[in-house]
Amino acid sequence: MQVFGSSGTRGVANEELTPAFVLRVAKAAGTTWGDGHGGDRVAIARDTRHTGRMLADAAASGMASTGTDVDRLGIVPTPGAQAYAEREGVPVIVITASHNPPPYNGVKLVGADGVELSIADLESIEETLLAESFTVAPWDETGRVREIDGVTQAYVDNLLAAADRDRIADADLTVALDPGHGAGSLTSPEFFRKLGCRVVTVNAQPDGHFPGRDPEPVPDNLTDLGRLVRATDADIGIAHDGDADRAIFFDETGAYVEGDATLAALAAAELEAGDTTVSAVNVSQRLVDVVTEVGADLELTPIGSTNIITRIEELEENGERVPVAGEGNGGIFFPDYRLSRDGAFTAARFLELVAERPVSEIVAPYGGYVNVRHNVEYESTAERDAMLDAAANQAQAADADLNTRDGYRLDYGDAWVLARPSGTEPLVRIYAEARDGDRAEELAGDMYDALAAAKADV
């Protein structure tokens, strides 16, 4: 796909992702959805980004021009918008760039079942977009636009109905929460309080400039949360990204918990022999170890929620049970709840474990691995292609098993390294994992040096 990447389409707002472009995407979606697919009504939601209203206005105009009525949901977490889609039976356009830096924004398309569109459905909309074969409604048949109230409250109520409230409330937990000025600021504080937790917050004011920290919940951006855990003697720290479809945790000492360890712990609690779980090609050995111990199966996909969702749907259609899936970035699926990543629900499921024992004990069995990540920026497709060629050369020269499902993953037995182009930013990402930190740094560093040298030669 030329337009839609691993999780929608994103770019710097008003430069790459302009109102004119978003209007065309909406017209393409409205045309495709209106072609016998129940697209007479569509919802539009957004996160807190400064450019969100501008781009949501463009999307609403594009949709209305195809004769589609529009429900304006306002600021709501992406999983809350997905819950609305499922409840009302209408597709949703979400204006969000999720974890990307503040200048970015994006478009994510959700079907009337509340699930992100499949690759096939995205390709159909992309074909309409590139061909510019849009439906144009007569002036008196253009869509009506209405504001919908109460969407965030309905989402919180939905979460409360799905969580084990008694188990969590009985534990009398203190939660330190950092929603990062994103859409989760409007829902997660209330949700955790109604679960019976004492909640203390940082960066909990909705603000599209993200003054307290960048939206991505990585250690360098979460130092305030670690301090808050320690200062308040909290049992756990919880952080979201910009649209609150991810959750990252800190333990009771204020120490960052690797997302891969969280995924492994939740998988160990959910999986039974014969089950299947799905993750991406950058999967941690932690999850591999859990799957092996339980006697379950592991399916790998290219990185990105769209790819994971598509594979889960295929497996479930074949009668396989997939109780949990996801990536080590905090984006986890519980398909029996809803086939969407939901940071608040993921946190609630983790709180059910914390009700029994401390976070540090929960994740202790999944320690012993060191993860290293580097990014190499590029300014042209020539630079990107040169770096990917360099990664291919590294793979050919290495004494390792090669997986090319998404980029180049080299498995050495005791460690692995992966180089792949980002689906949402002009970056080639490098991941490495090993039990020995020096080994992980060496593998990531060698790959980084090779890619940087290739980029410099362009």
Side-chain angles (χ1 to χ4, degrees), residues 417-430:
V417 62
L418 167 69
R420 63 170 294 270
S422 169
T424 58
E425 296 177 83
L427 305 169
V428 175
R429 300 190 186 277
I430 298 169

Side-chain angles (χ1 to χ4, degrees), residues 8-322:
T9 183
R10 298 178 192 163
V12 176
N14 227 26
E15 294 180 17
E16 301 158 325
L17 198 89
T18 63
F21 173 75
V22 173
L23 182 138
R24 290 174 56 235
V25 170
K27 290 169 70 174
T31 299
T32 305
W33 284 333
D35 187 21
H37 297 285
D40 58 336
R41 178 171 152 233
V42 169
I44 296 176
R46 61 187 174 95
D47 66 18
T48 58
R49 289 170 189 270
H50 177 69
T51 55
R53 182 182 293 276
M54 173 183 76
L55 297 177
D57 289 346
S61 295
M63 274 292 168
S65 76
T66 68
T68 306
D69 292 338
V70 178
D71 293 353
R72 295 292 297 265
L73 308 186
I75 296 173
V76 60
T78 293
Q82 291 177 278
Y84 183 86
E86 181 183 49
R87 185 169 63 252
E88 296 292 321
V90 298
V92 177
I93 295 179
V94 186
I95 304 299
T96 178
S98 188
H99 66 278
N100 289 116
Y104 281 72
N105 217 322
V107 180
K108 180 176 291 190
L109 303 178
V110 175
D113 57 358
V115 178
E116 289 181 44
L117 293 191
S118 68
I119 294 171
D121 288 338
L122 288 172
E123 287 175 343
S124 178
I125 291 173
E126 186 167 301
E127 288 174 5
T128 302
L129 172 65
L130 297 177
E132 299 205 355
S133 53
F134 308 131
T135 297
V136 179
W139 70 270
D140 57 347
E141 295 179 15
T142 53
R144 300 292 184 92
V145 179
R146 62 173 185 162
E147 304 285 337
I148 305 296
D149 297 325
V151 178
T152 54
Q153 188 59 57
Y155 168 57
V156 171
D157 291 343
N158 179 261
L159 287 168
L160 290 168
D164 191 340
R165 299 174 68 175
D166 292 340
R167 182 177 179 182
I168 295 170
D170 288 347
D172 194 25
L173 300 173
T174 296
V175 169
L177 174 66
D178 181 354
H181 302 294
S185 303
L186 301 179
T187 53
S188 283
E190 178 186 358
F191 173 51
F192 295 126
R193 289 188 177 107
K194 287 190 173 180
L195 285 177
C197 301
R198 171 179 175 249
V199 179
V200 292
T201 63
V202 64
N203 303 320
Q205 305 78 27
D207 191 325
H209 293 91
F210 302 97
R213 69 164 173 90
D214 271 8
E216 187 166 16
V218 294
D220 288 348
N221 293 337
L222 299 176
T223 54
D224 286 346
L225 180 57
R227 284 195 289 264
L228 182 62
V229 171
R230 291 187 290 271
T232 60
D233 197 26
D235 296 286
I236 187 173
I238 302 172
H240 293 316
D241 57 340
D243 65 339
D245 65 353
R246 291 161 53 180
I248 287 291
F249 303 105
F250 279 65
D251 72 13
E252 70 280 4
T253 72
Y256 175 83
V257 175
E258 286 282 353
D260 290 310
T262 300
L263 176 57
L266 288 167
E270 298 287 338
L271 290 173
E272 298 176 359
D275 288 343
T276 302
T277 187
V278 181
S279 192
V281 69
N282 63 336
V283 64
S284 169
Q285 189 64 34
R286 298 170 175 88
L287 183 59
V288 176
D289 292 345
V290 169
V291 167
T292 301
E293 182 176 350
V294 170
D297 294 320
L298 173 63
E299 293 270 345
L300 296 184
T301 73
I303 290 173
S305 58
T306 300
N307 299 305
I308 292 176
I309 289 168
T310 298
R311 188 59 183 142
I312 292 172
E313 290 178 323
E314 292 170 349
L315 290 165
E316 291 188 332
E317 286 174 3
N318 289 329
E320 297 195 40
R321 181 174 181 265
V322 186

